[in-house]
Protein backbone atom coordinates (compact mmCIF):
# COMPACT_ATOMS: atom_id res chain seq x y z
CA UNK A 1 0.00 0.00 0.00
CA UNK A 2 2.82 2.42 0.73
CA UNK A 3 3.97 2.07 -2.90
CA UNK A 4 0.50 2.91 -4.14
CA UNK A 5 0.46 6.01 -1.96
CA UNK A 6 3.88 6.95 -3.32
CA UNK A 7 2.70 7.12 -6.97
CA UNK A 8 0.32 10.11 -6.55
CA UNK A 9 3.02 11.89 -4.57
CA UNK A 10 5.52 11.39 -7.37
CA UNK A 11 3.01 12.62 -9.93
CA UNK A 12 2.27 15.68 -7.83
CA UNK A 13 6.00 16.37 -7.48
CA UNK A 14 6.47 16.08 -11.24
CA UNK A 15 3.60 18.47 -11.88
CA UNK A 16 4.97 21.00 -9.42
CA UNK A 17 8.42 20.73 -10.99
CA UNK A 18 6.94 21.24 -14.48
CA UNK A 19 4.98 24.29 -13.36
CA UNK A 20 8.03 25.68 -11.60
CA UNK A 21 10.16 25.23 -14.74
CA UNK A 22 7.50 26.80 -16.95
CA UNK A 23 7.23 29.73 -14.55
CA UNK A 24 11.00 30.29 -14.64
CA UNK A 25 11.02 30.23 -18.43
CA UNK A 26 8.13 32.67 -18.53
CA UNK A 27 9.75 35.05 -16.05
CA UNK A 28 12.94 34.90 -18.16
CA UNK A 29 10.80 35.94 -21.15
CA UNK A 30 11.64 32.69 -22.95
CA UNK A 31 8.15 32.65 -24.39
CA UNK A 32 8.79 30.28 -27.27
CA UNK A 33 10.36 27.73 -24.92
CA UNK A 34 7.24 27.92 -22.75
CA UNK A 35 5.08 27.14 -25.78
CA UNK A 36 7.36 24.33 -26.93
CA UNK A 37 7.36 22.80 -23.46
CA UNK A 38 3.65 22.92 -22.72
CA UNK A 39 1.62 23.16 -25.95
CA UNK A 40 1.80 19.46 -26.88
CA UNK A 41 0.56 18.44 -23.41
CA UNK A 42 -2.45 20.73 -23.75
CA UNK A 43 -3.19 19.28 -27.20
CA UNK A 44 -3.09 15.82 -25.58
CA UNK A 45 -5.72 16.86 -23.05
CA UNK A 46 -3.62 17.96 -20.05
CA UNK A 47 -5.66 21.06 -19.18
CA UNK A 48 -3.65 22.39 -16.25
CA UNK A 49 -4.95 25.93 -15.70
CA UNK A 50 -1.58 27.41 -14.70
CA UNK A 51 0.15 25.90 -17.69
CA UNK A 52 -2.56 27.19 -20.04
CA UNK A 53 -2.21 30.68 -18.57
CA UNK A 54 1.55 30.63 -19.09
CA UNK A 55 1.13 29.49 -22.70
CA UNK A 56 -1.58 32.06 -23.42
CA UNK A 57 0.47 34.91 -22.00
CA UNK A 58 3.60 33.72 -23.80
CA UNK A 59 1.73 33.43 -27.10
CA UNK A 60 0.35 36.97 -26.99
CA UNK A 61 3.50 38.62 -25.64
CA UNK A 62 5.81 36.93 -28.16
CA UNK A 63 3.53 37.77 -31.08
CA UNK A 64 3.16 41.36 -29.92
CA UNK A 65 6.93 41.75 -29.59
CA UNK A 66 7.47 40.31 -33.09
CA UNK A 67 4.75 42.51 -34.57
CA UNK A 68 6.26 45.67 -33.07
CA UNK A 69 9.75 44.70 -34.18
CA UNK A 70 8.54 43.99 -37.72
CA UNK A 71 6.87 47.39 -37.96
CA UNK A 72 10.00 49.11 -36.66
CA UNK A 73 12.21 47.29 -39.15
CA UNK A 74 9.93 48.09 -42.08
CA UNK A 75 9.96 51.75 -41.11
CA UNK A 76 13.74 51.93 -41.67
CA UNK A 77 13.33 51.21 -45.39
CA UNK A 78 16.67 49.37 -45.39
CA UNK A 79 17.05 46.17 -47.49
CA UNK A 80 19.07 44.34 -44.82
CA UNK A 81 16.09 44.16 -42.44
CA UNK A 82 14.12 41.63 -44.49
CA UNK A 83 15.85 38.43 -43.32
CA UNK A 84 14.92 39.28 -39.72
CA UNK A 85 11.39 40.27 -40.75
CA UNK A 86 10.92 36.94 -42.50
CA UNK A 87 12.25 34.97 -39.51
CA UNK A 88 9.89 36.79 -37.17
CA UNK A 89 6.94 36.00 -39.43
CA UNK A 90 8.08 32.37 -39.35
CA UNK A 91 8.12 32.46 -35.55
CA UNK A 92 4.60 33.89 -35.43
CA UNK A 93 3.34 31.23 -37.82
CA UNK A 94 5.05 28.50 -35.80
CA UNK A 95 3.37 29.63 -32.58
CA UNK A 96 0.03 29.82 -34.34
CA UNK A 97 0.39 26.25 -35.61
CA UNK A 98 1.53 24.96 -32.20
CA UNK A 99 -1.71 26.17 -30.62
CA UNK A 100 -4.03 25.16 -33.47
CA UNK A 101 -4.73 21.76 -31.85
CA UNK A 102 -5.91 23.27 -28.52
CA UNK A 103 -9.49 22.44 -27.49
CA UNK A 104 -12.00 25.00 -28.71
CA UNK A 105 -12.90 26.21 -25.21
CA UNK A 106 -9.20 26.76 -24.39
CA UNK A 107 -8.73 28.80 -27.56
CA UNK A 108 -11.74 30.94 -26.72
CA UNK A 109 -10.54 31.48 -23.17
CA UNK A 110 -7.12 32.70 -24.32
CA UNK A 111 -8.47 34.80 -27.24
CA UNK A 112 -6.63 32.67 -29.80
CA UNK A 113 -7.17 33.96 -33.33
CA UNK A 114 -5.69 32.09 -36.35
CA UNK A 115 -3.19 34.30 -38.16
CA UNK A 116 -3.12 34.46 -41.95
CA UNK A 117 0.51 35.32 -42.60
CA UNK A 118 1.15 33.57 -45.94
CA UNK A 119 1.07 36.69 -48.14
CA UNK A 120 3.21 38.70 -45.71
CA UNK A 121 5.69 35.83 -45.46
CA UNK A 122 5.96 35.52 -49.24
CA UNK A 123 6.74 39.22 -49.64
CA UNK A 124 9.24 39.14 -46.76
CA UNK A 125 10.95 36.01 -48.06
CA UNK A 126 11.32 37.44 -51.58
CA UNK A 127 12.88 40.63 -50.20
CA UNK A 128 15.12 38.62 -47.84
CA UNK A 129 16.36 36.37 -50.64
CA UNK A 130 17.10 39.33 -52.91
CA UNK A 131 19.16 41.03 -50.19
CA UNK A 132 21.07 37.86 -49.24
CA UNK A 133 21.94 37.07 -52.87
CA UNK A 134 23.09 40.64 -53.56
CA UNK A 135 25.16 40.82 -50.35
CA UNK A 136 26.83 37.45 -50.94
CA UNK A 137 27.71 38.40 -54.52
CA UNK A 138 29.11 41.74 -53.42
CA UNK A 139 31.43 40.05 -50.94
CA UNK A 140 32.48 37.30 -53.36
CA UNK A 141 33.34 39.84 -56.05
CA UNK A 142 35.77 41.69 -53.78
CA UNK A 143 38.59 39.18 -54.27
CA UNK A 144 39.28 39.02 -50.53
CA UNK A 145 39.29 35.62 -48.82
CA UNK A 146 38.11 37.23 -45.60
CA UNK A 147 35.07 38.45 -47.51
CA UNK A 148 34.48 34.91 -48.78
CA UNK A 149 34.11 33.72 -45.18
CA UNK A 150 31.62 36.51 -44.55
CA UNK A 151 29.77 35.68 -47.78
CA UNK A 152 29.38 32.08 -46.62
CA UNK A 153 27.30 33.30 -43.68
CA UNK A 154 24.87 34.99 -46.03
CA UNK A 155 24.80 31.92 -48.29
CA UNK A 156 23.91 29.69 -45.33
CA UNK A 157 21.21 32.14 -44.28
CA UNK A 158 19.85 32.08 -47.83
CA UNK A 159 19.70 28.29 -47.72
CA UNK A 160 17.79 28.39 -44.43
CA UNK A 161 15.41 30.94 -45.92
CA UNK A 162 14.78 28.99 -49.12
CA UNK A 163 16.76 25.85 -49.91
CA UNK A 164 15.33 25.93 -53.46
CA UNK A 165 16.64 29.39 -54.33
CA UNK A 166 18.01 29.20 -57.88
CA UNK A 167 21.08 31.31 -56.98
CA UNK A 168 22.39 28.88 -54.37
CA UNK A 169 24.40 26.59 -56.71
CA UNK A 170 26.13 29.57 -58.33
CA UNK A 171 26.92 31.22 -54.99
CA UNK A 172 28.28 28.00 -53.46
CA UNK A 173 30.38 27.38 -56.54
CA UNK A 174 31.67 30.94 -56.55
CA UNK A 175 32.54 30.79 -52.86
CA UNK A 176 34.41 27.52 -53.27
CA UNK A 177 36.48 28.76 -56.20
CA UNK A 178 37.27 32.13 -54.59
CA UNK A 179 38.48 30.54 -51.35
CA UNK A 180 40.66 27.83 -52.91
CA UNK A 181 44.36 28.20 -53.71
CA UNK A 182 44.24 25.22 -56.08
CA UNK A 183 41.19 24.00 -57.99
CA UNK A 184 41.59 20.80 -59.99
CA UNK A 185 39.31 20.03 -62.93
CA UNK A 186 39.02 16.31 -63.70
CA UNK A 187 36.78 13.99 -65.74
CA UNK A 188 34.65 11.09 -64.56
CA UNK A 189 32.93 9.03 -67.28
CA UNK A 190 29.93 6.98 -66.11
CA UNK A 191 28.76 6.20 -69.64
CA UNK A 192 29.55 2.80 -71.17
CA UNK A 193 31.14 4.37 -74.26
CA UNK A 194 34.93 4.79 -73.90
CA UNK A 195 35.74 8.39 -74.73
CA UNK A 196 39.51 8.12 -75.13
CA UNK A 197 42.37 10.43 -74.28
CA UNK A 198 41.64 12.78 -77.16
CA UNK A 199 38.25 13.62 -75.66
CA UNK A 200 39.71 14.25 -72.19
CA UNK A 201 42.50 16.41 -73.57
CA UNK A 202 40.04 18.49 -75.59
CA UNK A 203 37.86 19.02 -72.50
CA UNK A 204 40.75 19.99 -70.24
CA UNK A 205 42.93 22.04 -72.62
CA UNK A 206 42.32 25.64 -71.61
CA UNK A 207 44.07 28.57 -73.27
CA UNK A 208 46.19 30.84 -71.10
CA UNK A 209 43.98 33.30 -69.25
CA UNK A 210 40.82 31.41 -70.24
CA UNK A 211 40.16 30.26 -66.66
CA UNK A 212 41.15 31.72 -63.25
CA UNK A 213 44.84 31.36 -62.34
CA UNK A 214 44.15 28.91 -59.49
CA UNK A 215 42.52 26.36 -61.83
CA UNK A 216 44.57 23.28 -62.78
CA UNK A 217 43.62 20.17 -64.73
CA UNK A 218 44.10 16.46 -64.10
CA UNK A 219 43.03 13.37 -66.01
CA UNK A 220 42.23 11.59 -62.74
CA UNK A 221 40.71 12.75 -59.49
CA UNK A 222 43.25 14.40 -57.19
CA UNK A 223 43.62 13.83 -53.46
CA UNK A 224 45.75 16.86 -52.60
CA UNK A 225 43.61 19.87 -53.50
CA UNK A 226 41.64 22.73 -51.98
CA UNK A 227 38.69 22.27 -54.34
CA UNK A 228 37.73 20.09 -57.25
CA UNK A 229 35.43 20.45 -60.24
CA UNK A 230 34.43 17.02 -61.47
CA UNK A 231 33.23 16.89 -65.08
CA UNK A 232 30.86 13.95 -64.59
CA UNK A 233 29.81 12.48 -67.95
CA UNK A 234 26.54 10.63 -67.46
CA UNK A 235 25.33 9.98 -71.02
CA UNK A 236 26.72 9.98 -74.57
CA UNK A 237 24.29 9.65 -77.46
CA UNK A 238 25.38 9.20 -81.08
CA UNK A 239 22.62 9.12 -83.67
CA UNK A 240 23.00 6.85 -86.71
CA UNK A 241 23.98 8.43 -90.03
CA UNK A 242 20.68 9.56 -91.48
CA UNK A 243 19.79 10.52 -95.04
CA UNK A 244 16.39 12.12 -95.53
CA UNK A 245 15.07 12.52 -99.07
CA UNK A 246 12.15 14.35 -100.64
CA UNK A 247 11.37 13.92 -104.38
CA UNK A 248 9.15 16.16 -106.49
CA UNK A 249 8.75 17.28 -110.11
CA UNK A 250 9.27 20.64 -111.77
CA UNK A 251 8.06 21.65 -115.23
CA UNK A 252 9.00 24.53 -117.49
CA UNK A 253 7.86 25.04 -121.10
CA UNK A 254 6.74 21.46 -121.52
CA UNK A 255 9.95 20.11 -120.07
CA UNK A 256 9.94 18.02 -116.86
CA UNK A 257 12.59 17.18 -114.30
CA UNK A 258 12.54 14.98 -111.17
CA UNK A 259 14.19 16.77 -108.24
CA UNK A 260 15.38 15.05 -105.05
CA UNK A 261 16.43 17.07 -101.97
CA UNK A 262 18.79 15.10 -99.72
CA UNK A 263 19.66 15.89 -96.10
CA UNK A 264 22.57 14.22 -94.32
CA UNK A 265 22.27 14.30 -90.50
CA UNK A 266 24.19 13.08 -87.49
CA UNK A 267 24.35 14.32 -83.89
CA UNK A 268 26.51 13.55 -80.87
CA UNK A 269 25.14 14.65 -77.49
CA UNK A 270 27.21 14.59 -74.31
CA UNK A 271 25.40 15.30 -71.05
CA UNK A 272 26.29 15.28 -67.39
CA UNK A 273 27.05 17.76 -64.64
CA UNK A 274 29.86 19.85 -63.21
CA UNK A 275 30.15 18.83 -59.57
CA UNK A 276 31.97 21.13 -57.17
CA UNK A 277 33.71 19.57 -54.16
CA UNK A 278 35.68 21.08 -51.32
CA UNK A 279 38.90 19.55 -49.97
CA UNK A 280 36.99 16.77 -48.18
CA UNK A 281 35.15 15.75 -51.33
CA UNK A 282 32.37 13.80 -49.61
CA UNK A 283 29.38 15.55 -51.13
CA UNK A 284 29.07 17.98 -54.02
CA UNK A 285 28.50 21.53 -52.76
CA UNK A 286 27.02 22.54 -56.11
CA UNK A 287 25.91 20.69 -59.22
CA UNK A 288 25.54 22.40 -62.60
CA UNK A 289 23.98 20.17 -65.32
CA UNK A 290 25.27 20.48 -68.87
CA UNK A 291 24.50 19.20 -72.35
CA UNK A 292 26.65 19.85 -75.41
CA UNK A 293 25.98 18.79 -78.99
CA UNK A 294 28.04 18.29 -82.10
CA UNK A 295 25.74 18.41 -85.10
CA UNK A 296 26.49 17.51 -88.69
CA UNK A 297 23.99 18.54 -91.36
CA UNK A 298 24.51 18.79 -95.11
CA UNK A 299 21.77 19.44 -97.68
CA UNK A 300 22.21 18.80 -101.39
CA UNK A 301 20.01 18.26 -104.45
CA UNK A 302 20.11 15.87 -107.42
CA UNK A 303 17.98 15.77 -110.55
CA UNK A 304 16.81 13.29 -113.17
CA UNK A 305 15.60 14.76 -116.44
CA UNK A 306 15.95 18.00 -118.33
CA UNK A 307 18.04 20.56 -116.43
CA UNK A 308 16.25 23.37 -118.29
CA UNK A 309 13.05 22.49 -116.42
CA UNK A 310 14.67 23.35 -113.05
CA UNK A 311 13.66 26.46 -111.17
CA UNK A 312 16.29 29.03 -110.24
CA UNK A 313 16.17 27.85 -106.63
CA UNK A 314 16.80 24.22 -107.63
CA UNK A 315 19.68 25.24 -109.89
CA UNK A 316 21.25 27.07 -106.96
CA UNK A 317 20.93 24.01 -104.68
CA UNK A 318 22.67 21.85 -107.30
CA UNK A 319 25.93 23.59 -106.33
CA UNK A 320 25.95 21.72 -102.98
CA UNK A 321 27.34 18.19 -103.08
CA UNK A 322 27.27 15.21 -100.68
CA UNK A 323 30.22 15.04 -98.27
CA UNK A 324 31.63 12.25 -96.08
CA UNK A 325 29.82 11.98 -92.74
CA UNK A 326 32.20 12.73 -89.83
CA UNK A 327 33.26 9.80 -87.66
CA UNK A 328 31.98 9.31 -84.13
CA UNK A 329 35.43 10.12 -82.78
CA UNK A 330 35.74 13.43 -84.64
CA UNK A 331 32.29 14.54 -83.53
CA UNK A 332 33.07 13.57 -79.93
CA UNK A 333 36.17 15.77 -80.07
CA UNK A 334 34.03 18.62 -81.41
CA UNK A 335 31.57 18.12 -78.51
CA UNK A 336 34.54 18.05 -76.10
CA UNK A 337 35.73 21.45 -77.36
CA UNK A 338 32.25 22.88 -76.77
CA UNK A 339 32.27 21.39 -73.28
CA UNK A 340 35.67 23.01 -72.72
CA UNK A 341 34.20 26.42 -73.61
CA UNK A 342 31.22 25.79 -71.34
CA UNK A 343 33.47 24.88 -68.39
CA UNK A 344 35.64 27.97 -68.92
CA UNK A 345 32.53 30.17 -68.90
CA UNK A 346 31.21 28.50 -65.75
CA UNK A 347 34.50 28.90 -63.89
CA UNK A 348 34.53 32.63 -64.56
CA UNK A 349 30.94 33.30 -63.41
Amino acid sequence: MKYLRLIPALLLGAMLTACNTTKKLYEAQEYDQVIQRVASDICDGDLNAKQINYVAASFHKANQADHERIQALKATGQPDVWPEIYQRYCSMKGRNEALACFPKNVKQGMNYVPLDLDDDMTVARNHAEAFLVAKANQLLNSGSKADVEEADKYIMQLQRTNAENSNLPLLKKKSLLCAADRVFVAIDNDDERPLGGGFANAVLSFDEGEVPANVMTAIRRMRDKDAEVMVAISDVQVTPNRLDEVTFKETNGGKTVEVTDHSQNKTVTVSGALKYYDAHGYRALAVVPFEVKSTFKNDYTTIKGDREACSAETLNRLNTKPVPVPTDESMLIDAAKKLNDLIATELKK
Side-chain angles (χ1 to χ4, degrees), residues 136-338:
N137 269 317
Q138 179 189 25
L139 290 165
L140 292 174
N141 289 335
S142 75
S144 165
K145 291 192 176 182
D147 283 347
V148 173
E149 293 182 11
E150 186 68 17
D152 284 340
K153 298 176 184 177
Y154 288 98
I155 294 170
M156 291 303 298
Q157 191 173 1
L158 176 63
Q159 181 156 337
R160 290 193 297 270
T161 302
N162 180 12
E164 302 301 320
N165 185 282
S166 60
N167 293 281
L168 275 171
L170 178 60
L171 290 171
K172 288 181 178 180
K173 177 194 79 172
K174 201 170 180 178
S175 171
L176 181 69
L177 298 180
C178 288
D181 291 323
R182 295 187 303 167
V183 181
F184 279 99
V185 182
I187 294 180
D188 183 23
N189 178 26
D190 289 336
D191 189 81
E192 295 180 357
R193 176 185 293 271
L195 298 176
F199 180 90
N201 287 332
V203 170
L204 300 177
S205 296
F206 298 104
D207 294 333
E208 185 176 355
E210 189 178 8
V211 295
N214 61 341
V215 173
M216 307 170 188
T217 59
I219 298 299
R220 294 180 178 84
R221 193 162 195 175
M222 302 298 293
R223 293 174 179 264
D224 184 19
K225 81 278 183 181
D226 300 311
E228 182 178 59
V229 180
M230 179 57 63
V231 185
I233 309 295
S234 59
D235 188 49
V236 179
Q237 296 289 333
V238 180
T239 64
N241 300 347
R242 197 176 78 193
L243 180 62
D244 298 325
E245 297 178 334
V246 177
T247 300
F248 55 94
K249 289 184 177 181
E250 290 184 348
T251 59
N252 184 17
K255 298 177 181 180
T256 302
V257 66
E258 185 178 87
V259 181
T260 301
D261 286 337
H262 310 267
S263 181
Q264 297 173 286
N265 297 278
K266 183 176 180 179
T267 301
V268 169
T269 303
V270 179
S271 55
L274 302 181
K275 298 182 179 181
Y276 293 80
Y277 296 90
D278 61 12
H280 304 293
Y282 301 127
R283 183 173 59 88
L285 300 181
V287 177
V288 180
F290 66 77
E291 181 180 276
V292 292
K293 291 180 181 287
S294 175
T295 301
F296 167 76
K297 181 176 174 59
N298 180 58
D299 298 329
Y300 65 96
T301 299
T302 59
I303 61 173
K304 289 181 181 180
D306 197 328
R307 185 183 180 93
E308 293 183 2
C310 294
S311 65
E313 182 180 355
T314 297
L315 289 172
N316 185 58
R317 292 202 304 272
L318 289 175
N319 294 323
T320 305
K321 303 299 179 182
V323 297
V325 177
T327 64
D328 293 359
E329 290 72 19
S330 65
M331 294 189 70
L332 276 168
I333 295 298
D334 182 61
K337 292 176 180 177
K338 292 180 179 179

